[in-house]
Amino acid sequence: MTSKTDFTEEEWTRLARAPLVAGMAISLADPGGPIESIKESSAAIRTVLEAAQSGEHGELVQALARDVAEKARRRENPMAGFRPKGADARDEVLDELRAVSALLVEKTTPQERAQVVDWLRTAAQNTATAAKEGGFLGFNAELVSEREQQMLDTLAGIFH
């Protein structure tokens, strides 16, 4: 099994924050108001915490998720060192996820790669379905907006 010792500290940090970055990609695709933002962020974090406890995505994912959960308990920001900003934020997020994909191909087994990719897709999907988008007072709102679906498709292309 691939473990933390197979990665540099920077690589491990990049992999551990990847589900939060995937959630960020969805949020950036169709920014909502503050309530939607909180719901979406919470969904990505919940995905990480569930993986830390359940181990359903395999041992590597569980180790990554436990690392993020431990940082959260110590009140450390798991996104430290990654701060996409302004007009380039979307591109920075996608570049980060492309780097994660390359790292997975380079350093993990095909099974581990599939498990991590499934975890990232789950985080993105949970983020997309966390809050309804558009509409007025909840009427005619969509669970997954067109722009969020486009981002889900983009992420699927990155992690093919």
Side-chain angles (χ1 to χ4, degrees):
M1 178 190 111
T2 307
S3 69
K4 187 174 183 174
T5 59
D6 296 305
F7 300 95
T8 67
E9 190 63 36
E10 180 183 328
E11 290 169 339
W12 185 260
T13 298
R14 177 172 263 169
L15 288 174
R17 72 179 172 221
L20 304 177
V21 176
M24 184 185 292
I26 300 300
S27 295
L28 286 171
D30 195 355
I35 293 172
E36 289 88 355
S37 181
I38 290 169
K39 286 181 178 181
E40 290 175 347
S41 296
S42 295
I45 292 166
R46 205 170 28 256
T47 302
V48 172
L49 297 177
E50 287 170 3
Q53 291 181 347
S54 73
E56 78 177 80
H57 296 284
E59 292 178 34
L60 178 60
V61 168
Q62 189 172 30
L64 290 162
R66 283 182 175 164
D67 192 59
V68 173
E70 183 57 34
K71 283 182 180 178
R73 275 192 279 285
R74 292 190 312 254
R75 302 223 184 262
E76 293 176 24
N77 182 358
M79 296 291 285
F82 183 70
R83 302 226 190 289
K85 292 181 183 126
D88 295 332
R90 181 181 186 278
D91 291 336
E92 290 175 38
V93 165
L94 293 177
D95 287 345
E96 176 73 5
L97 293 172
R98 285 183 192 100
V100 166
S101 181
L103 186 56
L104 291 172
V105 169
E106 178 186 342
K107 292 204 171 185
T108 62
T109 67
Q111 180 182 5
E112 290 167 334
R113 180 181 185 278
Q115 291 168 335
V116 174
V117 167
D118 184 55
W119 182 45
L120 300 179
R121 285 184 181 144
T122 299
Q125 187 66 46
N126 288 349
T127 301
T129 59
K132 290 186 175 183
E133 304 291 334
F136 178 72
L137 297 175
F139 296 102
N140 298 319
E142 302 173 293
L143 188 55
V144 178
S145 73
E146 184 177 328
R147 289 186 292 198
E148 288 174 330
Q149 185 57 55
Q150 289 170 348
M151 182 57 74
L152 288 169
D153 294 343
T154 298
L155 296 180
I158 290 172
F159 293 105
H160 57 278

